[in-house]
Amino acid sequence: MQSITVAINDLFEFEGQAIPASKPELALLEGMVRRQFSFLPQPLDIQVGADAVTISFAEESPAAQQEAVRLAGRAGKRASQGENPKAIGILKRVLELYPTLHPARRDLAMAYAASGDFDNAKNQLIEILRLNAKDHWSWVTLANLYAKNFDDLDTAEKFLRRALALSPDDPWALNSLGAVLSERGLPADAARIFQRAISANPEVANPYYGLALTYCKTDQLQPAVETLSNLFAHAKPQDSRSTQLFASARALFVDLQTSLAEQHHAAALQSVEEMRAQMEQQSGYPVRVSYEDFQEEVGASIQMAWKHNKDHHLIRCRKSWPERLMPHLVAHELDHLRLESNARRSSKNRFLVSSARGREVAIRSMEDEILRWQKRGRSESSITEVVLASIQRACTHLLNCPIDMVIETALRASMPSLSHAQFLSVRLFALEAWQSDTSAEGRELLPRSILRSTLALNGAYALFLDDLFRGATAYAANYRKEETFTTSDKLFRHWQSRFPQLGPGDEYGLVDDFASMLGLKDWYDWKPDPGP
């Protein structure tokens, strides 16, 4: 024989009745027990105590238990494949054979919920709790059903507090209670509960997201951003559903950064103006800024006075760029100026230039592509134009990639008022780069050697950005399927190892390191800066 003990108060609660002030009559209690536990093997032996009822019943046969476990395994496979109706049919048979197999009843409740049959899901969870009222996880699941599918926040909160009485530090129960309190318009109480959930298990993402949403409801945008940043830094995916939660968190992070970039635009402009004044004094030349319509896919560029024999530096910005992001474009180019100025003072500045020797080496690496284009009838002039443009593009990309990593790291650390615009600005660059990298037409026009270097460098930069923003972005995920990703990872790790020790002008050595790893070392030459 098996037996279970049920509190008399629970019998009334399971039927949605008020708990009586005095002990009910024996016949009433026995009737409730027989009605609520009709799914158990009959007959039932019922013993009524002072505040609880003990129910005894025959144990299932070993053969029935064995067959039920086997069928439950089959049902689990069906459910994992999304075949919930078939899983439900099998699980019903399982529970006929083995009514007290709690995992199967829980799986049946989940299969019903996944099928949209929330009434039956609720009934199965209640039957689990009838058998074991200390199963706190079923209280949590039942509460979530009441909150999300029956719009009954009062009952949901009551069940969640019961779960927490059994397991006070369960992060999922705390998370659900926080969500209920937030829905009830109690943001301060909800925030405290979400924070408890985070403390209980910092690796669970849901409470961070719930807390961020709660902050958003009261226009506390900066705390919301900080909360999401902590999510990306500390939380780990728990199951397949985490993928969607992380995606939602990243989308919310972008929205918050957009709002904060607007709010901090004036402060960002002021910081950039101060930086410009500093760089004018440090470099010895005034800095002018122009806004133009670019044909090439760049956000901004700087023409150094000493490189172009001018009496000023000129920063050219893409006119179509969102106004709130312009401070980042200017700051990025000013930091290029800072690096070159420091290198000049140390007599280490130099210019990357294309030479006939370098072009010859590069062209030899493209012989197969050139032959293929010739066979397709492309003119020699068009081939020459594409080849020379591709070489120039590859060398420019090689120069900028590691140096841009240095610049963005410096801006992140030194200009907090710019952080929101910076995030959004490099996000647009990353999305544009991936769009270009996946363009069939673009891939067809690029020689393979340059396509490989482009993908490797962009993959390394994507890894850098994901690291810079502490997981708030997932740009590298796009490049992981590329055969060049191993090289991307090596490039980024090498940058990480070198960056802390970089002195004035050492960034050019980093460019050489990248070139060697990509097989591009002989494609360019360095020209010493002649100085003032």
Side-chain angles (χ1 to χ4, degrees):
M1 296 288 286
Q2 295 187 75
S3 63
I4 58 171
T5 299
V6 183
I8 290 174
N9 287 349
D10 283 346
L11 293 174
F12 285 88
E13 186 162 32
F14 287 140
E15 290 199 356
Q17 297 186 36
I19 296 174
S22 58
K23 184 176 180 179
E25 294 180 359
L26 180 62
L28 174 63
L29 291 175
E30 287 186 350
M32 294 180 75
V33 168
R34 297 190 187 284
R35 184 166 60 252
Q36 292 184 26
F37 292 88
S38 61
F39 60 91
L40 292 177
Q42 302 297 313
L44 304 179
D45 179 61
I46 303 169
Q47 300 293 325
V48 179
D51 55 10
V53 176
T54 299
I55 308 162
S56 300
F57 51 92
E59 188 172 7
E60 300 88 348
S61 70
Q65 292 182 11
Q66 185 176 3
E67 175 64 6
V69 170
R70 185 187 71 81
L71 290 173
R74 280 181 53 195
K77 291 180 181 178
R78 295 290 191 182
S80 66
Q81 296 167 355
E83 299 177 6
N84 289 301
K86 292 182 179 179
I88 289 170
I90 298 171
L91 288 167
K92 284 181 177 180
R93 176 58 182 157
V94 168
L95 293 172
E96 288 175 3
L97 294 167
Y98 197 170
T100 56
L101 186 59
H102 297 336
R105 198 171 294 279
R106 186 177 294 114
D107 288 346
L108 180 57
M110 296 300 99
Y112 274 131
S115 300
D117 189 345
F118 302 115
D119 285 321
N120 268 321
K122 175 186 70 174
N123 293 338
Q124 293 301 322
L125 289 168
I126 289 173
E127 289 191 356
I128 293 171
L129 291 167
R130 284 176 177 144
L131 294 169
N132 179 14
K134 293 184 178 181
D135 184 347
H136 84 281
W137 181 242
S138 291
W139 284 113
V140 174
T141 308
L142 187 60
N144 288 337
L145 274 178
Y146 271 91
K148 297 175 183 177
N149 304 111
F150 298 109
D151 197 26
D152 187 346
L153 297 179
D154 289 340
T155 300
E157 182 178 348
K158 179 174 68 174
F159 288 168
L160 288 167
R161 293 195 182 279
R162 178 133 184 196
L164 288 167
L166 295 166
S167 183
D169 294 323
D170 182 270
W172 299 102
L174 288 166
N175 176 70
S176 294
L177 180 57
V180 166
L181 293 173
S182 183
E183 283 294 312
R184 298 188 72 174
L186 301 169
D189 293 338
R192 282 193 293 272
I193 295 297
F194 282 129
Q195 288 160 354
R196 274 183 58 192
I198 292 168
S199 297
N201 189 340
E203 294 188 354
V204 177
N206 302 62
Y208 294 100
Y209 185 58
L211 179 58
L213 289 174
T214 299
Y215 282 138
C216 288
K217 288 182 178 180
T218 52
D219 292 324
Q220 298 181 72
L221 304 189
Q222 190 60 44
V225 164
E226 292 168 2
T227 299
L228 290 176
S229 295
N230 287 330
L231 182 161
F232 303 128
H234 303 297
K236 293 179 171 38
Q238 303 294 315
D239 52 37
S240 59
R241 291 169 295 181
S242 296
T243 301
Q244 181 55 52
L245 186 139
F246 272 80
S248 297
R250 290 190 173 108
L252 177 59
F253 194 77
V254 171
D255 290 342
L256 290 169
Q257 294 288 354
T258 302
S259 297
L260 287 168
E262 296 282 0
Q263 290 183 14
H264 291 258
H265 183 61
L269 285 173
Q270 179 62 33
S271 295
V272 172
E273 280 302 306
E274 292 171 1
M275 185 181 186
R276 176 158 77 164
Q278 179 185 357
M279 291 316 307
E280 287 180 338
Q281 181 178 7
Q282 182 174 325
S283 70
Y285 293 89
V287 178
R288 297 178 186 173
V289 180
S290 70
Y291 300 91
E292 308 171 20
D293 291 319
F294 288 169
Q295 296 298 320
E296 61 269 28
E297 290 184 359
V298 295
S301 64
I302 183 168
Q303 296 175 355
M304 307 291 182
W306 46 73
K307 241 183 228 182
H308 294 269
N309 295 318
K310 293 185 177 182
D311 61 357
H312 64 275
H313 307 295
L314 177 62
I315 295 176
R316 300 169 62 232
C317 296
R318 192 196 298 188
K319 190 176 181 180
S320 61
W321 213 244
E323 179 66 25
R324 61 179 172 270
L325 308 187
M326 288 296 182
H328 171 257
L329 294 186
V330 176
H332 183 97
E333 300 310 317
L334 287 171
D335 216 55
H336 270 293
L337 177 57
R338 176 186 66 83
L339 290 176
E340 281 210 21
S341 296
N342 290 341
R344 290 191 102 213
R345 284 206 305 270
S346 301
S347 300
K348 292 182 178 180
N349 197 38
R350 44 187 167 148
F351 309 139
L352 187 147
V353 296
S354 176
S355 66
R357 180 192 63 83
R359 288 192 294 272
E360 182 181 351
V361 172
I363 289 170
R364 280 203 302 269
S365 75
M366 306 177 197
E367 287 176 349
D368 289 344
E369 280 87 4
I370 293 172
L371 182 60
R372 176 164 54 89
W373 291 334
Q374 288 172 339
K375 288 180 178 179
R376 291 185 178 181
R378 294 190 63 174
S379 67
E380 290 296 327
S381 61
S382 69
I383 292 174
T384 299
E385 182 180 352
V386 167
V387 167
L388 294 180
S390 297
I391 294 171
Q392 181 62 41
R393 170 180 169 177
C395 291
T396 301
H397 195 185
L398 172 66
L399 175 66
N400 285 332
C401 182
I403 294 178
D404 283 352
M405 293 180 184
V406 175
I407 288 172
E408 294 303 341
T409 303
L411 293 179
R412 190 74 175 166
S414 63
M415 300 185 72
S417 64
L418 193 70
S419 63
H420 310 296
Q422 178 190 27
F423 175 85
L424 296 168
S425 184
V426 298
R427 176 177 180 269
L428 288 185
F429 286 131
L431 296 177
E432 281 189 354
W434 178 242
Q435 184 178 18
S436 176
D437 290 342
T438 53
S439 164
E441 181 181 359
R443 290 198 174 202
E444 174 63 23
L445 289 175
L446 275 182
R448 290 188 184 90
S449 56
I450 293 180
L451 177 61
R452 285 194 296 270
S453 71
T454 298
L455 290 172
L457 288 168
N458 284 342
Y461 198 69
L463 284 167
F464 161 75
L465 292 178
D466 291 348
D467 181 70
L468 182 68
F469 297 119
R470 302 172 66 207
T473 61
Y475 303 133
N478 290 328
Y479 292 91
R480 290 185 185 279
K481 60 192 174 189
E482 300 289 343
E483 63 179 4
T484 54
F485 188 73
T486 300
T487 304
S488 296
D489 190 57
K490 289 179 181 177
L491 290 169
F492 173 59
R493 291 183 185 279
H494 181 71
W495 183 88
Q496 282 184 308
S497 69
R498 286 288 315 278
F499 172 71
Q501 291 81 37
L502 291 179
D506 289 347
E507 61 270 16
Y508 302 128
L510 194 54
V511 172
D512 284 338
D513 293 343
F514 272 37
S516 295
M517 297 169 74
L518 293 167
L520 305 180
K521 188 68 172 65
D522 296 325
W523 285 33
Y524 61 90
D525 292 300
W526 289 110
K527 176 183 175 182
D529 185 341

